[in-house]
PDB file of all heavy atoms in Angstrom:
ATOM      1  N   ARG J  52     -14.465  -1.190 -24.584  1.00 94.00           N
ATOM      2  CA  ARG J  52     -14.826  -0.047 -23.746  1.00 94.00           C
ATOM      3  C   ARG J  52     -14.229   1.271 -24.241  1.00 94.00           C
ATOM      4  O   ARG J  52     -14.460   2.314 -23.652  1.00 94.00           O
ATOM      5  CB  ARG J  52     -14.350  -0.303 -22.312  1.00 94.00           C
ATOM      6  CG  ARG J  52     -14.842  -1.596 -21.686  1.00 94.00           C
ATOM      7  CD  ARG J  52     -16.314  -1.542 -21.363  1.00 94.00           C
ATOM      8  NE  ARG J  52     -16.641  -0.546 -20.358  1.00 94.00           N
ATOM      9  CZ  ARG J  52     -17.854  -0.356 -19.848  1.00 94.00           C
ATOM     10  NH1 ARG J  52     -18.864  -1.107 -20.286  1.00 94.00           N
ATOM     11  NH2 ARG J  52     -18.078   0.560 -18.943  1.00 94.00           N
ATOM     12  N   ARG J  53     -13.433   1.208 -25.298  1.00 96.00           N
ATOM     13  CA  ARG J  53     -12.794   2.387 -25.888  1.00 96.00           C
ATOM     14  C   ARG J  53     -11.909   3.124 -24.871  1.00 96.00           C
ATOM     15  O   ARG J  53     -11.893   4.345 -24.803  1.00 96.00           O
ATOM     16  CB  ARG J  53     -13.837   3.345 -26.481  1.00 96.00           C
ATOM     17  CG  ARG J  53     -14.726   2.712 -27.549  1.00 96.00           C
ATOM     18  CD  ARG J  53     -15.480   3.773 -28.336  1.00 96.00           C
ATOM     19  NE  ARG J  53     -16.232   4.692 -27.495  1.00 96.00           N
ATOM     20  CZ  ARG J  53     -17.447   4.451 -27.025  1.00 96.00           C
ATOM     21  NH1 ARG J  53     -18.051   3.306 -27.327  1.00 96.00           N
ATOM     22  NH2 ARG J  53     -18.068   5.336 -26.291  1.00 96.00           N
ATOM     23  N   TRP J  54     -11.199   2.355 -24.075  1.00 96.00           N
ATOM     24  CA  TRP J  54     -10.257   2.950 -23.122  1.00 96.00           C
ATOM     25  C   TRP J  54      -8.915   3.194 -23.795  1.00 96.00           C
ATOM     26  O   TRP J  54      -8.471   2.414 -24.650  1.00 96.00           O
ATOM     27  CB  TRP J  54     -10.026   2.016 -21.933  1.00 96.00           C
ATOM     28  CG  TRP J  54     -11.222   1.823 -21.046  1.00 96.00           C
ATOM     29  CD1 TRP J  54     -12.195   2.720 -20.756  1.00 96.00           C
ATOM     30  CD2 TRP J  54     -11.551   0.626 -20.335  1.00 96.00           C
ATOM     31  NE1 TRP J  54     -13.123   2.174 -19.911  1.00 96.00           N
ATOM     32  CE2 TRP J  54     -12.747   0.879 -19.628  1.00 96.00           C
ATOM     33  CE3 TRP J  54     -10.965  -0.627 -20.226  1.00 96.00           C
ATOM     34  CZ2 TRP J  54     -13.357  -0.062 -18.825  1.00 96.00           C
ATOM     35  CZ3 TRP J  54     -11.567  -1.573 -19.423  1.00 96.00           C
ATOM     36  CH2 TRP J  54     -12.746  -1.302 -18.727  1.00 96.00           C
ATOM     37  N   LYS J  55      -8.221   4.239 -23.387  1.00 96.00           N
ATOM     38  CA  LYS J  55      -6.835   4.477 -23.737  1.00 96.00           C
ATOM     39  C   LYS J  55      -6.003   4.196 -22.483  1.00 96.00           C
ATOM     40  O   LYS J  55      -6.142   4.894 -21.472  1.00 96.00           O
ATOM     41  CB  LYS J  55      -6.623   5.923 -24.199  1.00 96.00           C
ATOM     42  CG  LYS J  55      -7.383   6.283 -25.469  1.00 96.00           C
ATOM     43  CD  LYS J  55      -6.851   5.518 -26.664  1.00 96.00           C
ATOM     44  CE  LYS J  55      -7.547   5.962 -27.944  1.00 96.00           C
ATOM     45  NZ  LYS J  55      -7.070   5.207 -29.127  1.00 96.00           N
ATOM     46  N   LEU J  56      -5.177   3.162 -22.527  1.00 97.00           N
ATOM     47  CA  LEU J  56      -4.440   2.729 -21.341  1.00 97.00           C
ATOM     48  C   LEU J  56      -2.971   3.118 -21.428  1.00 97.00           C
ATOM     49  O   LEU J  56      -2.381   3.191 -22.502  1.00 97.00           O
ATOM     50  CB  LEU J  56      -4.534   1.211 -21.182  1.00 97.00           C
ATOM     51  CG  LEU J  56      -5.932   0.583 -21.073  1.00 97.00           C
ATOM     52  CD1 LEU J  56      -5.800  -0.929 -20.888  1.00 97.00           C
ATOM     53  CD2 LEU J  56      -6.717   1.202 -19.927  1.00 97.00           C
ATOM     54  N   ALA J  57      -2.380   3.364 -20.252  1.00 97.00           N
ATOM     55  CA  ALA J  57      -0.938   3.523 -20.102  1.00 97.00           C
ATOM     56  C   ALA J  57      -0.564   2.873 -18.784  1.00 97.00           C
ATOM     57  O   ALA J  57      -1.397   2.725 -17.877  1.00 97.00           O
ATOM     58  CB  ALA J  57      -0.529   4.996 -20.125  1.00 97.00           C
ATOM     59  N   VAL J  58       0.678   2.474 -18.658  1.00 97.00           N
ATOM     60  CA  VAL J  58       1.160   1.769 -17.464  1.00 97.00           C
ATOM     61  C   VAL J  58       2.080   2.691 -16.662  1.00 97.00           C
ATOM     62  O   VAL J  58       2.908   3.410 -17.230  1.00 97.00           O
ATOM     63  CB  VAL J  58       1.917   0.484 -17.859  1.00 97.00           C
ATOM     64  CG1 VAL J  58       2.538  -0.181 -16.640  1.00 97.00           C
ATOM     65  CG2 VAL J  58       0.974  -0.478 -18.578  1.00 97.00           C
ATOM     66  N   ALA J  59       1.926   2.664 -15.341  1.00 97.00           N
ATOM     67  CA  ALA J  59       2.806   3.432 -14.445  1.00 97.00           C
ATOM     68  C   ALA J  59       3.384   2.504 -13.394  1.00 97.00           C
ATOM     69  O   ALA J  59       2.669   1.668 -12.820  1.00 97.00           O
ATOM     70  CB  ALA J  59       2.045   4.567 -13.782  1.00 97.00           C
ATOM     71  N   HIS J  60       4.673   2.641 -13.126  1.00 97.00           N
ATOM     72  CA  HIS J  60       5.345   1.823 -12.108  1.00 97.00           C
ATOM     73  C   HIS J  60       6.219   2.732 -11.264  1.00 97.00           C
ATOM     74  O   HIS J  60       6.962   3.567 -11.784  1.00 97.00           O
ATOM     75  CB  HIS J  60       6.204   0.740 -12.769  1.00 97.00           C
ATOM     76  CG  HIS J  60       7.024  -0.053 -11.791  1.00 97.00           C
ATOM     77  ND1 HIS J  60       6.499  -1.115 -11.075  1.00 97.00           N
ATOM     78  CD2 HIS J  60       8.323   0.066 -11.387  1.00 97.00           C
ATOM     79  CE1 HIS J  60       7.445  -1.615 -10.289  1.00 97.00           C
ATOM     80  NE2 HIS J  60       8.556  -0.907 -10.463  1.00 97.00           N
ATOM     81  N   PHE J  61       6.134   2.554  -9.938  1.00 95.00           N
ATOM     82  CA  PHE J  61       6.975   3.344  -9.029  1.00 95.00           C
ATOM     83  C   PHE J  61       7.946   2.419  -8.312  1.00 95.00           C
ATOM     84  O   PHE J  61       7.535   1.473  -7.634  1.00 95.00           O
ATOM     85  CB  PHE J  61       6.118   4.093  -8.004  1.00 95.00           C
ATOM     86  CG  PHE J  61       6.899   5.086  -7.187  1.00 95.00           C
ATOM     87  CD1 PHE J  61       7.263   6.308  -7.730  1.00 95.00           C
ATOM     88  CD2 PHE J  61       7.287   4.792  -5.893  1.00 95.00           C
ATOM     89  CE1 PHE J  61       7.995   7.227  -6.991  1.00 95.00           C
ATOM     90  CE2 PHE J  61       8.015   5.689  -5.139  1.00 95.00           C
ATOM     91  CZ  PHE J  61       8.366   6.918  -5.699  1.00 95.00           C
ATOM     92  N   ASN J  62       9.235   2.691  -8.461  1.00 94.00           N
ATOM     93  CA  ASN J  62      10.292   1.888  -7.844  1.00 94.00           C
ATOM     94  C   ASN J  62      10.655   2.516  -6.502  1.00 94.00           C
ATOM     95  O   ASN J  62      11.252   3.594  -6.446  1.00 94.00           O
ATOM     96  CB  ASN J  62      11.509   1.849  -8.772  1.00 94.00           C
ATOM     97  CG  ASN J  62      12.594   0.897  -8.283  1.00 94.00           C
ATOM     98  OD1 ASN J  62      12.644   0.544  -7.103  1.00 94.00           O
ATOM     99  ND2 ASN J  62      13.467   0.482  -9.183  1.00 94.00           N
ATOM    100  N   HIS J  63      10.303   1.827  -5.413  1.00 92.00           N
ATOM    101  CA  HIS J  63      10.563   2.359  -4.065  1.00 92.00           C
ATOM    102  C   HIS J  63      12.005   2.152  -3.614  1.00 92.00           C
ATOM    103  O   HIS J  63      12.413   2.664  -2.584  1.00 92.00           O
ATOM    104  CB  HIS J  63       9.635   1.690  -3.047  1.00 92.00           C
ATOM    105  CG  HIS J  63       8.178   1.875  -3.335  1.00 92.00           C
ATOM    106  ND1 HIS J  63       7.460   1.007  -4.132  1.00 92.00           N
ATOM    107  CD2 HIS J  63       7.305   2.823  -2.945  1.00 92.00           C
ATOM    108  CE1 HIS J  63       6.196   1.408  -4.189  1.00 92.00           C
ATOM    109  NE2 HIS J  63       6.074   2.520  -3.490  1.00 92.00           N
ATOM    110  N   ARG J  64      12.749   1.354  -4.366  1.00 89.00           N
ATOM    111  CA  ARG J  64      14.145   1.054  -4.038  1.00 89.00           C
ATOM    112  C   ARG J  64      14.305   0.512  -2.614  1.00 89.00           C
ATOM    113  O   ARG J  64      15.263   0.815  -1.910  1.00 89.00           O
ATOM    114  CB  ARG J  64      15.015   2.303  -4.214  1.00 89.00           C
ATOM    115  CG  ARG J  64      15.094   2.767  -5.667  1.00 89.00           C
ATOM    116  CD  ARG J  64      15.899   4.028  -5.827  1.00 89.00           C
ATOM    117  NE  ARG J  64      16.006   4.416  -7.224  1.00 89.00           N
ATOM    118  CZ  ARG J  64      16.391   5.625  -7.641  1.00 89.00           C
ATOM    119  NH1 ARG J  64      16.694   6.557  -6.762  1.00 89.00           N
ATOM    120  NH2 ARG J  64      16.461   5.897  -8.924  1.00 89.00           N
ATOM    121  N   LEU J  65      13.375  -0.332  -2.211  1.00 87.00           N
ATOM    122  CA  LEU J  65      13.418  -0.911  -0.871  1.00 87.00           C
ATOM    123  C   LEU J  65      14.043  -2.303  -0.856  1.00 87.00           C
ATOM    124  O   LEU J  65      14.424  -2.793   0.201  1.00 87.00           O
ATOM    125  CB  LEU J  65      11.998  -0.997  -0.290  1.00 87.00           C
ATOM    126  CG  LEU J  65      11.330   0.332   0.073  1.00 87.00           C
ATOM    127  CD1 LEU J  65       9.863   0.110   0.433  1.00 87.00           C
ATOM    128  CD2 LEU J  65      12.068   1.003   1.231  1.00 87.00           C
ATOM    129  N   ARG J  66      14.138  -2.960  -2.038  1.00 85.00           N
ATOM    130  CA  ARG J  66      14.605  -4.349  -2.067  1.00 85.00           C
ATOM    131  C   ARG J  66      15.774  -4.554  -3.022  1.00 85.00           C
ATOM    132  O   ARG J  66      15.963  -5.635  -3.563  1.00 85.00           O
ATOM    133  CB  ARG J  66      13.437  -5.264  -2.445  1.00 85.00           C
ATOM    134  CG  ARG J  66      12.281  -5.236  -1.444  1.00 85.00           C
ATOM    135  CD  ARG J  66      11.170  -6.189  -1.833  1.00 85.00           C
ATOM    136  NE  ARG J  66      10.511  -5.760  -3.054  1.00 85.00           N
ATOM    137  CZ  ARG J  66      10.463  -6.471  -4.168  1.00 85.00           C
ATOM    138  NH1 ARG J  66      11.070  -7.645  -4.246  1.00 85.00           N
ATOM    139  NH2 ARG J  66       9.831  -6.017  -5.228  1.00 85.00           N
ATOM    140  N   GLY J  67      16.571  -3.492  -3.236  1.00 87.00           N
ATOM    141  CA  GLY J  67      17.779  -3.620  -4.048  1.00 87.00           C
ATOM    142  C   GLY J  67      17.500  -4.074  -5.467  1.00 87.00           C
ATOM    143  O   GLY J  67      16.647  -3.522  -6.167  1.00 87.00           O
ATOM    144  N   THR J  68      18.212  -5.119  -5.894  1.00 91.00           N
ATOM    145  CA  THR J  68      18.058  -5.606  -7.266  1.00 91.00           C
ATOM    146  C   THR J  68      16.663  -6.158  -7.526  1.00 91.00           C
ATOM    147  O   THR J  68      16.187  -6.131  -8.665  1.00 91.00           O
ATOM    148  CB  THR J  68      19.102  -6.699  -7.573  1.00 91.00           C
ATOM    149  OG1 THR J  68      18.975  -7.762  -6.610  1.00 91.00           O
ATOM    150  CG2 THR J  68      20.515  -6.136  -7.499  1.00 91.00           C
ATOM    151  N   ALA J  69      16.001  -6.660  -6.468  1.00 91.00           N
ATOM    152  CA  ALA J  69      14.641  -7.185  -6.659  1.00 91.00           C
ATOM    153  C   ALA J  69      13.702  -6.067  -7.119  1.00 91.00           C
ATOM    154  O   ALA J  69      12.844  -6.281  -7.984  1.00 91.00           O
ATOM    155  CB  ALA J  69      14.130  -7.810  -5.366  1.00 91.00           C
ATOM    156  N   SER J  70      13.862  -4.858  -6.565  1.00 91.00           N
ATOM    157  CA  SER J  70      13.041  -3.724  -6.998  1.00 91.00           C
ATOM    158  C   SER J  70      13.329  -3.368  -8.445  1.00 91.00           C
ATOM    159  O   SER J  70      12.414  -3.078  -9.226  1.00 91.00           O
ATOM    160  CB  SER J  70      13.301  -2.515  -6.090  1.00 91.00           C
ATOM    161  OG  SER J  70      12.829  -2.740  -4.780  1.00 91.00           O
ATOM    162  N   ASP J  71      14.599  -3.383  -8.813  1.00 92.00           N
ATOM    163  CA  ASP J  71      14.964  -3.086 -10.207  1.00 92.00           C
ATOM    164  C   ASP J  71      14.422  -4.152 -11.152  1.00 92.00           C
ATOM    165  O   ASP J  71      14.015  -3.846 -12.282  1.00 92.00           O
ATOM    166  CB  ASP J  71      16.484  -2.985 -10.336  1.00 92.00           C
ATOM    167  CG  ASP J  71      17.052  -1.806  -9.554  1.00 92.00           C
ATOM    168  OD1 ASP J  71      16.298  -0.832  -9.330  1.00 92.00           O
ATOM    169  OD2 ASP J  71      18.225  -1.859  -9.153  1.00 92.00           O
ATOM    170  N   ASN J  72      14.411  -5.399 -10.706  1.00 94.00           N
ATOM    171  CA  ASN J  72      13.866  -6.479 -11.537  1.00 94.00           C
ATOM    172  C   ASN J  72      12.355  -6.342 -11.713  1.00 94.00           C
ATOM    173  O   ASN J  72      11.812  -6.665 -12.776  1.00 94.00           O
ATOM    174  CB  ASN J  72      14.208  -7.835 -10.935  1.00 94.00           C
ATOM    175  CG  ASN J  72      15.688  -8.163 -11.031  1.00 94.00           C
ATOM    176  OD1 ASN J  72      16.401  -7.597 -11.863  1.00 94.00           O
ATOM    177  ND2 ASN J  72      16.161  -9.052 -10.179  1.00 94.00           N
ATOM    178  N   ASP J  73      11.677  -5.867 -10.660  1.00 94.00           N
ATOM    179  CA  ASP J  73      10.239  -5.584 -10.791  1.00 94.00           C
ATOM    180  C   ASP J  73      10.010  -4.542 -11.877  1.00 94.00           C
ATOM    181  O   ASP J  73       9.124  -4.685 -12.725  1.00 94.00           O
ATOM    182  CB  ASP J  73       9.673  -5.063  -9.469  1.00 94.00           C
ATOM    183  CG  ASP J  73       9.586  -6.122  -8.389  1.00 94.00           C
ATOM    184  OD1 ASP J  73       9.723  -7.314  -8.718  1.00 94.00           O
ATOM    185  OD2 ASP J  73       9.393  -5.756  -7.212  1.00 94.00           O
ATOM    186  N   GLU J  74      10.820  -3.473 -11.836  1.00 95.00           N
ATOM    187  CA  GLU J  74      10.692  -2.405 -12.826  1.00 95.00           C
ATOM    188  C   GLU J  74      10.913  -2.947 -14.248  1.00 95.00           C
ATOM    189  O   GLU J  74      10.136  -2.647 -15.165  1.00 95.00           O
ATOM    190  CB  GLU J  74      11.687  -1.292 -12.526  1.00 95.00           C
ATOM    191  CG  GLU J  74      11.680  -0.171 -13.554  1.00 95.00           C
ATOM    192  CD  GLU J  74      12.753   0.871 -13.283  1.00 95.00           C
ATOM    193  OE1 GLU J  74      13.070   1.117 -12.095  1.00 95.00           O
ATOM    194  OE2 GLU J  74      13.281   1.442 -14.269  1.00 95.00           O
ATOM    195  N   ALA J  75      11.969  -3.749 -14.417  1.00 96.00           N
ATOM    196  CA  ALA J  75      12.264  -4.307 -15.739  1.00 96.00           C
ATOM    197  C   ALA J  75      11.128  -5.196 -16.225  1.00 96.00           C
ATOM    198  O   ALA J  75      10.771  -5.192 -17.419  1.00 96.00           O
ATOM    199  CB  ALA J  75      13.584  -5.087 -15.687  1.00 96.00           C
ATOM    200  N   PHE J  76      10.537  -5.977 -15.304  1.00 96.00           N
ATOM    201  CA  PHE J  76       9.431  -6.869 -15.667  1.00 96.00           C
ATOM    202  C   PHE J  76       8.218  -6.065 -16.139  1.00 96.00           C
ATOM    203  O   PHE J  76       7.575  -6.413 -17.143  1.00 96.00           O
ATOM    204  CB  PHE J  76       9.060  -7.730 -14.458  1.00 96.00           C
ATOM    205  CG  PHE J  76       7.831  -8.560 -14.646  1.00 96.00           C
ATOM    206  CD1 PHE J  76       7.790  -9.587 -15.577  1.00 96.00           C
ATOM    207  CD2 PHE J  76       6.697  -8.315 -13.880  1.00 96.00           C
ATOM    208  CE1 PHE J  76       6.639 -10.349 -15.754  1.00 96.00           C
ATOM    209  CE2 PHE J  76       5.545  -9.069 -14.051  1.00 96.00           C
ATOM    210  CZ  PHE J  76       5.515 -10.092 -14.983  1.00 96.00           C
ATOM    211  N   VAL J  77       7.902  -4.974 -15.433  1.00 96.00           N
ATOM    212  CA  VAL J  77       6.752  -4.155 -15.826  1.00 96.00           C
ATOM    213  C   VAL J  77       7.011  -3.491 -17.178  1.00 96.00           C
ATOM    214  O   VAL J  77       6.126  -3.435 -18.040  1.00 96.00           O
ATOM    215  CB  VAL J  77       6.444  -3.107 -14.740  1.00 96.00           C
ATOM    216  CG1 VAL J  77       5.361  -2.133 -15.216  1.00 96.00           C
ATOM    217  CG2 VAL J  77       5.989  -3.782 -13.448  1.00 96.00           C
ATOM    218  N   ARG J  78       8.217  -2.988 -17.371  1.00 97.00           N
ATOM    219  CA  ARG J  78       8.563  -2.380 -18.666  1.00 97.00           C
ATOM    220  C   ARG J  78       8.382  -3.390 -19.808  1.00 97.00           C
ATOM    221  O   ARG J  78       7.816  -3.078 -20.860  1.00 97.00           O
ATOM    222  CB  ARG J  78      10.007  -1.880 -18.640  1.00 97.00           C
ATOM    223  CG  ARG J  78      10.244  -0.619 -17.815  1.00 97.00           C
ATOM    224  CD  ARG J  78      11.698  -0.185 -17.939  1.00 97.00           C
ATOM    225  NE  ARG J  78      12.026   0.962 -17.139  1.00 97.00           N
ATOM    226  CZ  ARG J  78      11.857   2.236 -17.524  1.00 97.00           C
ATOM    227  NH1 ARG J  78      11.337   2.486 -18.728  1.00 97.00           N
ATOM    228  NH2 ARG J  78      12.205   3.222 -16.730  1.00 97.00           N
ATOM    229  N   LYS J  79       8.872  -4.612 -19.589  1.00 96.00           N
ATOM    230  CA  LYS J  79       8.798  -5.643 -20.620  1.00 96.00           C
ATOM    231  C   LYS J  79       7.347  -6.017 -20.911  1.00 96.00           C
ATOM    232  O   LYS J  79       6.957  -6.196 -22.072  1.00 96.00           O
ATOM    233  CB  LYS J  79       9.584  -6.871 -20.169  1.00 96.00           C
ATOM    234  CG  LYS J  79       9.626  -8.000 -21.182  1.00 96.00           C
ATOM    235  CD  LYS J  79      10.476  -9.160 -20.683  1.00 96.00           C
ATOM    236  CE  LYS J  79      10.502 -10.301 -21.692  1.00 96.00           C
ATOM    237  NZ  LYS J  79      11.325 -11.441 -21.182  1.00 96.00           N
TER     238      LYS J  79
END
Side-chain angles (χ1 to χ4, degrees):
R52 305 289 296 184
R53 302 194 307 276
W54 293 327
K55 297 293 184 181
L56 302 181
V58 174
H60 175 82
F61 189 77
N62 187 339
H63 301 89
R64 295 177 178 164
L65 290 171
R66 298 182 293 119
T68 56
S70 293
D71 295 335
N72 290 339
D73 289 347
E74 177 184 327
F76 173 66
V77 173
R78 287 183 183 274
K79 182 178 179 181

